[in-house]
Amino acid sequence: MYGKASHFLVSVLSQDVPFSLIGQFGFKSGRDTDKFNGINYLLSKDGIPYLVDNTLAYMGARVINEIDALTHTVFIGEVTEAELLKEGTPMTYAYYQQVKKGSVSRNAPTYIKSQAPEAAATEKAGKFVCSVCGYIYDPEMGDPDNGVPAGTPFEKLPSGWGCPVCGAAKSEFKEV
């Protein structure tokens, strides 16, 4: 066994996955929150949870090696199980960034300041950026996953509205 992990599992997400799910797993630490709270999941034969909703397939693996990559650890695994759950188009990292306009946390090893959402968002006024995760609220797009129609200015968002990616409060947004 390597470190504490002896197995891991990968869920292949569909392109229509909501930002809230991406934020739940991508912008929150498992040390601080139960990432599976309120999430529909099942257990693999190795007892590892995998996402059910917005998931096309999953692959489980036994850790056979690990590599210290300075900013993170790369786990090498031997596939022990896999299942196709439904047909669809998987979401790639390029699709997340280019089509869904997803952002990279400033703390992520892949963060590049010149590609920061703030730089791209300055082309058009009225957009607001989340100071926690970099998500950009665009009034032209709204937040359809959370019932905010296109054309809704930031000032008209409900007081309880929060970042659809990381859950930060409206007060954590800055105009760009």
Side-chain angles (χ1 to χ4, degrees):
M1 183 163 85
Y2 296 89
K4 294 180 181 176
S6 63
H7 290 79
F8 64 90
L9 192 135
V10 175
S11 293
V12 179
L13 302 176
S14 63
Q15 286 183 342
D16 61 352
V17 65
F19 271 122
S20 58
L21 186 68
I22 295 168
Q24 180 88 0
F25 286 89
F27 288 93
K28 295 181 181 177
S29 170
R31 291 181 203 102
D32 305 328
T33 186
D34 176 4
K35 292 185 177 193
F36 286 92
N37 184 32
I39 301 294
N40 188 16
Y41 69 91
L42 294 172
L43 297 178
S44 71
K45 73 175 188 171
D46 291 322
I48 302 172
Y50 64 90
L51 306 176
V52 175
D53 300 328
N54 305 106
T55 300
L56 304 177
Y58 73 88
M59 296 164 279
R62 180 179 62 81
V63 176
I64 58 172
N65 200 358
E66 65 180 57
I67 300 168
D68 181 358
L70 300 179
T71 58
H72 57 282
T73 301
V74 177
F75 291 96
I76 309 299
E78 176 181 38
V79 175
T80 57
E81 63 181 302
E83 185 176 348
L84 177 65
L85 301 173
K86 62 182 174 184
E87 295 293 322
T89 305
M91 182 168 56
T92 63
Y93 193 59
Y95 184 88
Y96 167 72
Q97 288 192 309
Q98 296 166 7
V99 178
K100 290 185 87 75
K101 303 295 184 200
S103 58
V104 177
S105 169
R106 287 177 179 79
N107 299 326
T110 56
Y111 177 79
I112 300 171
K113 187 168 178 65
S114 65
Q115 294 176 347
E118 296 90 329
T122 56
E123 298 170 5
K124 192 161 197 171
K127 295 181 181 180
F128 286 74
V129 64
C130 176
S131 62
V132 176
C133 73
Y135 167 81
I136 296 174
Y137 176 77
D138 182 351
E140 288 184 21
M141 304 284 289
D143 181 8
D145 287 345
N146 292 299
V148 177
T152 304
F154 186 80
E155 297 78 20
K156 300 273 185 183
L157 290 172
S159 60
W161 181 86
C163 178
V165 175
C166 71
K170 189 176 169 184
S171 60
E172 295 291 330
F173 280 74
K174 307 288 182 230
E175 188 168 13
V176 292

